[in-house]
């Protein structure tokens, strides 16, 4: 298994208490579950979701899907470089083809990922068997192992169960930002009785409750664990931010020295401060916020 040592993780990821009076004054403790420290290139939940899929691929090339700024595409490309595995990224947006690559896609390409751009309508239908087959044929990836968008399938959900297990006995509430919801689906299943998981979706739409339930039904046979979503903190939708969110994140970085990823982690932490203020958590509650990522270096340049 020497070929897999480049993906060796730091697990369990560190759990750190931070003193923050916005929680302290309500009798709450805040812990940070530092999944951003699991691996330098497969960051946070991306390691937990991707490694089980790489094992299932048994050395086949990987093909996966994402938007132009997808953390999942970057993680997959990095895994390909580290393992010497060919990767193909199917990217949403035909109009991006032939233009200079943005920093995120440039990183994917530098890691050896072949990029295949598809129009938005094709992308939307990519899980339908005929559309998928056509995409794979056009991308020259018919033999590849297919990792779904965001990496969320049953293997990934099982991988994220370990995140919940690592947090048993440490917090009453475990909170995580949600994209596809695969991380929450696994996390909630790994917690002990009496612990609950709280998801903060970063996309608009209200479809995630159903998606997460489906992911759990496929992975575990039924809805599992105690979990709920608070849909109020998406800040306009995926990859949308506001000056208020940036100011909040900068302030959090100054207070605690934590680099705050803006598209997911900032929205989660903002939501937790708002909920604490609303009195949503009983005094004495310990809240663990999962730090699922860190800022992409090129974004800050
Ligand atoms: C991908 C990602 C998520 C979302 O994970 P899902 O399992 O798709 O819900 C959350 N935070 C960060 C930083 C991510 O990169």
């Amino acid at each position: 298994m020497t070929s897999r040592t480049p993906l060796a993780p730091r697990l369990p990821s560190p759990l750190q208490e931070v003193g923050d009076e916005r929680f302290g004054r309500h009798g709450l403790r805040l812990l940070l579950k530092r999944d951003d420290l699991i691996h330098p290139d497969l960051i946070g939940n991306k390691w937990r979701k991707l490694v089980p899929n790489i094992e299932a691929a048994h050395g086949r090339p990987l093909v996966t899907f994402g938007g132009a700024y997808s953390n999942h595409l970057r993680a997959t490309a990095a895994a390909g470089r580290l393992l010497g595995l060919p990767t193909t990224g199917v990217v949403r947006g035909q109009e991006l083809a032939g233009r200079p690559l943005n920093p995120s896609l440039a990183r994917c390409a530098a890691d050896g990922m072949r990029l295949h751009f598809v129009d938005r309508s094709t992308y939307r239908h990519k899980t339908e068997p005929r559309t998928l087959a056509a995409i794979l044929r056009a991308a020259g990836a018919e033999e590849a192992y297919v990792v779904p968008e965001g990496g969320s399938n049953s293997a990934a959900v099982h991988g994220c169960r370990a995140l919940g297990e690592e947090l048993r006995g440490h917090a009453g509430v475990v909170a995580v930002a949600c994209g596809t919801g695969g991380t929450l689906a696994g996390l909630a299943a790994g917690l002990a009785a009496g612990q609950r998981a709280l998801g903060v979706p970063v996309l608009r739409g209200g479809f995630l409750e159903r998606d997460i339930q489906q992911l759990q039904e496929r992975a575990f046979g039924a809805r599992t664990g105690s979990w709920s979503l608070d849909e109020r903190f998406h800040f306009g939708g995926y990859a949308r931010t506001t000056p208020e969110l940036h100011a909040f994140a900068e302030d959090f970085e100054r207070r605690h020295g934590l680099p705050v990823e803006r598209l997911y982690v900032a929205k989660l932490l903002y939501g937790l401060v708002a909920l604490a203020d609303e009195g949503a958590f009983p005094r004495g509650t310990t809240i663990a916020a999962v730090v699922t990522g860190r800022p992409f270096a090129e974004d800050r340049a």
Side-chain angles (χ1 to χ4, degrees):
M1 287 291 111
T2 49
S3 68
R4 209 120 65 212
T5 48
L7 299 191
R10 175 178 180 187
L11 284 176
S13 62
L15 187 61
Q16 302 168 340
E17 175 153 12
V18 294
D20 190 314
E21 88 269 1
R22 293 170 296 184
F23 294 86
R25 67 169 168 253
H26 300 292
L28 306 170
R29 288 172 68 214
L30 177 66
L31 308 178
L32 300 178
K33 177 65 170 163
R34 297 293 305 274
D35 265 20
D36 57 315
L37 301 177
I38 291 179
H39 189 278
D41 292 308
L42 278 70
I43 296 158
N45 59 1
K46 299 303 180 277
W47 188 96
R48 295 190 189 271
K49 289 161 56 155
L50 208 44
V51 166
N53 276 291
I54 290 168
E55 284 167 3
H58 291 295
R60 285 159 65 196
L62 304 177
V63 59
T64 193
F65 304 82
Y69 291 94
S70 165
N71 291 338
H72 166 67
L73 280 188
R74 281 205 311 281
T76 306
R81 166 173 52 79
L82 292 166
L83 299 175
L85 216 55
T87 60
T88 300
V90 177
V91 185
R92 179 178 60 233
Q94 182 67 55
E95 73 281 2
L96 300 171
R99 285 206 212 152
L101 298 175
N102 71 33
S104 186
L105 292 175
R107 171 69 69 82
C108 293
D111 278 344
M113 177 174 264
R114 278 178 33 202
L115 300 175
H116 178 77
F117 297 90
V118 300
D119 65 77
R120 278 151 209 274
S121 156
T122 303
Y123 191 89
R124 226 180 352 264
H125 296 105
K126 64 191 173 304
T127 58
E128 292 167 11
R130 286 184 53 184
T131 308
L132 176 62
I135 293 173
L136 296 182
R137 207 177 314 118
E142 287 152 295
E143 307 300 320
Y145 176 89
V146 177
V147 182
E149 179 176 38
S152 286
N153 55 14
S154 285
V157 170
H158 277 281
C160 290
R161 201 172 187 279
L163 168 58
E165 288 165 355
E166 288 173 25
L167 286 161
R168 287 186 181 185
H170 293 292
V173 176
V174 178
V176 67
C178 300
T180 61
T183 305
L184 177 65
L187 159 67
L191 295 174
Q195 292 182 290
R196 69 181 183 91
L198 170 65
V200 172
V202 306
L203 285 83
R204 303 168 63 129
F207 51 81
L208 207 56
E209 175 93 23
R210 189 202 58 207
D211 286 2
I212 294 171
Q213 176 148 340
Q214 260 177 22
L215 283 165
Q216 288 197 325
E217 284 167 358
R218 272 188 235 130
F220 308 119
R223 186 170 172 134
T224 309
S226 168
W227 58 270
S228 62
L229 301 176
D230 192 319
E231 306 260 6
R232 292 176 296 162
F233 304 109
H234 55 66
F235 286 83
Y238 182 68
R240 300 283 176 87
T241 57
T242 65
E244 186 193 5
L245 184 69
H246 281 290
F248 171 86
E250 276 162 29
D251 174 65
F252 199 94
E253 291 178 335
R254 263 195 308 273
R255 285 175 194 246
H256 303 303
L258 174 83
V260 176
E261 190 271 345
R262 298 297 198 268
L263 305 191
Y264 293 94
V265 179
K267 294 178 184 183
L268 168 69
L269 295 171
Y270 184 101
L272 287 178
V273 169
L275 285 162
D277 249 356
E278 289 172 5
F281 307 111
R283 292 186 82 81
T285 302
T286 298
I287 303 159
V290 184
V291 181
T292 41
R294 61 159 184 258
F296 176 45
E298 280 84 340
D299 283 348
R300 336 202 80 207

